[in-house]
Amino acid sequence: MRRAIDIARTTPTGDIPVGAVILGPEGQELGVGTNRRETDADPIGHAEIAAIKQATVALGDAWRLENCTLVVTLEPCAMCAGALLGARIGRIIYGAAEPKTGACGSVWDLPRESPLHKAEVLGGVLQEECEALLKDFFAALRGGGQSENAF
């Protein structure tokens, strides 16, 4: 998760700081990504999507990420969870829960409810550090004021 946090810190200015890394079966780094939705004007410019694209190229298997692990600072949304399941990811580890759009247990639980492919999920890893990235971003966006609400 520390690697994902470091990646999140490289998110372009204006994008929500989320970092993702996909690890291969032997623990090797296969792909990384940050949110780039605003920077690239791309509605699917999420950190997980970028990491998936890099990882499938690195593996040379076109699209299968079997026995791989995604580590991401924020719980994946439905789009990203669906893409991860479509890529046959084996494990999803996230830091901060996403109470509004989280699809790995918060709002929906796609990885454990999918009729085709299931993925192991572990949330809350270095949660406070991952939440701090988001709180700092949104506080700056709102003019520096601290918020008691989630992000």
Side-chain angles (χ1 to χ4, degrees), residues 64-77:
R64 290 176 185 84
L65 297 177
E66 295 170 341
N67 302 313
C68 293
T69 299
L70 168 80
V71 180
V72 63
T73 56
L74 181 64
E75 179 181 0
C77 68

PDB file of all heavy atoms in Angstrom, residues 64-77:
ATOM      1  N   ARG A  64      -5.785 -11.169 -19.236  1.00  0.00           N
ATOM      2  CA  ARG A  64      -5.970 -11.946 -18.005  1.00  0.00           C
ATOM      3  C   ARG A  64      -4.967 -11.570 -16.916  1.00  0.00           C
ATOM      4  O   ARG A  64      -3.769 -11.626 -17.138  1.00  0.00           O
ATOM      5  CB  ARG A  64      -5.831 -13.436 -18.308  1.00  0.00           C
ATOM      6  CG  ARG A  64      -6.968 -14.000 -19.105  1.00  0.00           C
ATOM      7  CD  ARG A  64      -6.703 -15.467 -19.451  1.00  0.00           C
ATOM      8  NE  ARG A  64      -7.725 -15.993 -20.310  1.00  0.00           N
ATOM      9  CZ  ARG A  64      -7.756 -15.860 -21.636  1.00  0.00           C
ATOM     10  NH1 ARG A  64      -6.789 -15.202 -22.255  1.00  0.00           N
ATOM     11  NH2 ARG A  64      -8.720 -16.389 -22.343  1.00  0.00           N
ATOM     12  N   LEU A  65      -5.496 -11.238 -15.743  1.00  0.00           N
ATOM     13  CA  LEU A  65      -4.664 -10.912 -14.589  1.00  0.00           C
ATOM     14  C   LEU A  65      -4.872 -11.933 -13.473  1.00  0.00           C
ATOM     15  O   LEU A  65      -4.889 -11.591 -12.296  1.00  0.00           O
ATOM     16  CB  LEU A  65      -4.989  -9.494 -14.094  1.00  0.00           C
ATOM     17  CG  LEU A  65      -4.691  -8.369 -15.074  1.00  0.00           C
ATOM     18  CD1 LEU A  65      -5.132  -7.033 -14.501  1.00  0.00           C
ATOM     19  CD2 LEU A  65      -3.216  -8.341 -15.439  1.00  0.00           C
ATOM     20  N   GLU A  66      -5.029 -13.175 -13.866  1.00  0.00           N
ATOM     21  CA  GLU A  66      -5.219 -14.244 -12.887  1.00  0.00           C
ATOM     22  C   GLU A  66      -4.023 -14.299 -11.950  1.00  0.00           C
ATOM     23  O   GLU A  66      -2.887 -14.090 -12.352  1.00  0.00           O
ATOM     24  CB  GLU A  66      -5.404 -15.584 -13.595  1.00  0.00           C
ATOM     25  CG  GLU A  66      -6.671 -15.623 -14.417  1.00  0.00           C
ATOM     26  CD  GLU A  66      -6.784 -16.838 -15.323  1.00  0.00           C
ATOM     27  OE1 GLU A  66      -5.756 -17.485 -15.602  1.00  0.00           O
ATOM     28  OE2 GLU A  66      -7.905 -17.120 -15.743  1.00  0.00           O
ATOM     29  N   ASN A  67      -4.308 -14.550 -10.684  1.00  0.00           N
ATOM     30  CA  ASN A  67      -3.285 -14.639  -9.635  1.00  0.00           C
ATOM     31  C   ASN A  67      -2.544 -13.326  -9.394  1.00  0.00           C
ATOM     32  O   ASN A  67      -1.467 -13.333  -8.814  1.00  0.00           O
ATOM     33  CB  ASN A  67      -2.292 -15.766  -9.941  1.00  0.00           C
ATOM     34  CG  ASN A  67      -2.987 -17.090 -10.073  1.00  0.00           C
ATOM     35  OD1 ASN A  67      -3.810 -17.453  -9.242  1.00  0.00           O
ATOM     36  ND2 ASN A  67      -2.670 -17.820 -11.134  1.00  0.00           N
ATOM     37  N   CYS A  68      -3.107 -12.224  -9.863  1.00  0.00           N
ATOM     38  CA  CYS A  68      -2.512 -10.915  -9.626  1.00  0.00           C
ATOM     39  C   CYS A  68      -3.302 -10.190  -8.536  1.00  0.00           C
ATOM     40  O   CYS A  68      -4.430 -10.553  -8.215  1.00  0.00           O
ATOM     41  CB  CYS A  68      -2.516 -10.081 -10.902  1.00  0.00           C
ATOM     42  SG  CYS A  68      -1.418 -10.726 -12.189  1.00  0.00           S
ATOM     43  N   THR A  69      -2.679  -9.148  -7.984  1.00  0.00           N
ATOM     44  CA  THR A  69      -3.281  -8.366  -6.907  1.00  0.00           C
ATOM     45  C   THR A  69      -3.272  -6.893  -7.279  1.00  0.00           C
ATOM     46  O   THR A  69      -2.242  -6.365  -7.693  1.00  0.00           O
ATOM     47  CB  THR A  69      -2.477  -8.554  -5.599  1.00  0.00           C
ATOM     48  OG1 THR A  69      -2.497  -9.932  -5.236  1.00  0.00           O
ATOM     49  CG2 THR A  69      -3.051  -7.716  -4.465  1.00  0.00           C
ATOM     50  N   LEU A  70      -4.416  -6.253  -7.114  1.00  0.00           N
ATOM     51  CA  LEU A  70      -4.501  -4.800  -7.234  1.00  0.00           C
ATOM     52  C   LEU A  70      -4.396  -4.221  -5.836  1.00  0.00           C
ATOM     53  O   LEU A  70      -5.105  -4.659  -4.927  1.00  0.00           O
ATOM     54  CB  LEU A  70      -5.833  -4.363  -7.831  1.00  0.00           C
ATOM     55  CG  LEU A  70      -6.086  -2.852  -7.713  1.00  0.00           C
ATOM     56  CD1 LEU A  70      -5.333  -2.086  -8.783  1.00  0.00           C
ATOM     57  CD2 LEU A  70      -7.556  -2.528  -7.745  1.00  0.00           C
ATOM     58  N   VAL A  71      -3.525  -3.234  -5.668  1.00  0.00           N
ATOM     59  CA  VAL A  71      -3.431  -2.464  -4.428  1.00  0.00           C
ATOM     60  C   VAL A  71      -3.755  -1.031  -4.816  1.00  0.00           C
ATOM     61  O   VAL A  71      -3.099  -0.451  -5.681  1.00  0.00           O
ATOM     62  CB  VAL A  71      -2.026  -2.565  -3.793  1.00  0.00           C
ATOM     63  CG1 VAL A  71      -1.965  -1.765  -2.504  1.00  0.00           C
ATOM     64  CG2 VAL A  71      -1.638  -4.021  -3.559  1.00  0.00           C
ATOM     65  N   VAL A  72      -4.785  -0.459  -4.173  1.00  0.00           N
ATOM     66  CA  VAL A  72      -5.263   0.872  -4.552  1.00  0.00           C
ATOM     67  C   VAL A  72      -5.635   1.651  -3.294  1.00  0.00           C
ATOM     68  O   VAL A  72      -6.113   1.075  -2.316  1.00  0.00           O
ATOM     69  CB  VAL A  72      -6.447   0.768  -5.546  1.00  0.00           C
ATOM     70  CG1 VAL A  72      -7.654   0.069  -4.941  1.00  0.00           C
ATOM     71  CG2 VAL A  72      -6.822   2.118  -6.129  1.00  0.00           C
ATOM     72  N   THR A  73      -5.409   2.950  -3.328  1.00  0.00           N
ATOM     73  CA  THR A  73      -5.615   3.774  -2.142  1.00  0.00           C
ATOM     74  C   THR A  73      -7.087   4.035  -1.827  1.00  0.00           C
ATOM     75  O   THR A  73      -7.416   4.365  -0.695  1.00  0.00           O
ATOM     76  CB  THR A  73      -4.883   5.122  -2.287  1.00  0.00           C
ATOM     77  OG1 THR A  73      -5.325   5.780  -3.476  1.00  0.00           O
ATOM     78  CG2 THR A  73      -3.375   4.909  -2.330  1.00  0.00           C
ATOM     79  N   LEU A  74      -7.969   3.894  -2.799  1.00  0.00           N
ATOM     80  CA  LEU A  74      -9.400   4.140  -2.608  1.00  0.00           C
ATOM     81  C   LEU A  74     -10.187   2.967  -3.175  1.00  0.00           C
ATOM     82  O   LEU A  74      -9.879   2.467  -4.263  1.00  0.00           O
ATOM     83  CB  LEU A  74      -9.809   5.441  -3.314  1.00  0.00           C
ATOM     84  CG  LEU A  74     -11.270   5.868  -3.204  1.00  0.00           C
ATOM     85  CD1 LEU A  74     -11.653   6.174  -1.745  1.00  0.00           C
ATOM     86  CD2 LEU A  74     -11.526   7.096  -4.083  1.00  0.00           C
ATOM     87  N   GLU A  75     -11.213   2.560  -2.467  1.00  0.00           N
ATOM     88  CA  GLU A  75     -12.066   1.452  -2.911  1.00  0.00           C
ATOM     89  C   GLU A  75     -12.539   1.682  -4.345  1.00  0.00           C
ATOM     90  O   GLU A  75     -13.049   2.756  -4.672  1.00  0.00           O
ATOM     91  CB  GLU A  75     -13.274   1.363  -1.982  1.00  0.00           C
ATOM     92  CG  GLU A  75     -14.251   0.270  -2.333  1.00  0.00           C
ATOM     93  CD  GLU A  75     -15.447   0.243  -1.401  1.00  0.00           C
ATOM     94  OE1 GLU A  75     -15.530   1.080  -0.471  1.00  0.00           O
ATOM     95  OE2 GLU A  75     -16.313  -0.634  -1.596  1.00  0.00           O
ATOM     96  N   PRO A  76     -12.387   0.693  -5.214  1.00  0.00           N
ATOM     97  CA  PRO A  76     -12.810   0.853  -6.606  1.00  0.00           C
ATOM     98  C   PRO A  76     -14.308   1.097  -6.763  1.00  0.00           C
ATOM     99  O   PRO A  76     -15.128   0.578  -5.996  1.00  0.00           O
ATOM    100  CB  PRO A  76     -12.419  -0.487  -7.242  1.00  0.00           C
ATOM    101  CG  PRO A  76     -11.277  -0.967  -6.406  1.00  0.00           C
ATOM    102  CD  PRO A  76     -11.643  -0.547  -5.004  1.00  0.00           C
ATOM    103  N   CYS A  77     -14.641   1.888  -7.769  1.00  0.00           N
ATOM    104  CA  CYS A  77     -16.029   2.145  -8.145  1.00  0.00           C
ATOM    105  C   CYS A  77     -16.548   0.947  -8.947  1.00  0.00           C
ATOM    106  O   CYS A  77     -15.803   0.009  -9.241  1.00  0.00           O
ATOM    107  CB  CYS A  77     -16.121   3.422  -8.977  1.00  0.00           C
ATOM    108  SG  CYS A  77     -15.343   3.290 -10.617  1.00  0.00           S
TER     109      CYS A  77
END
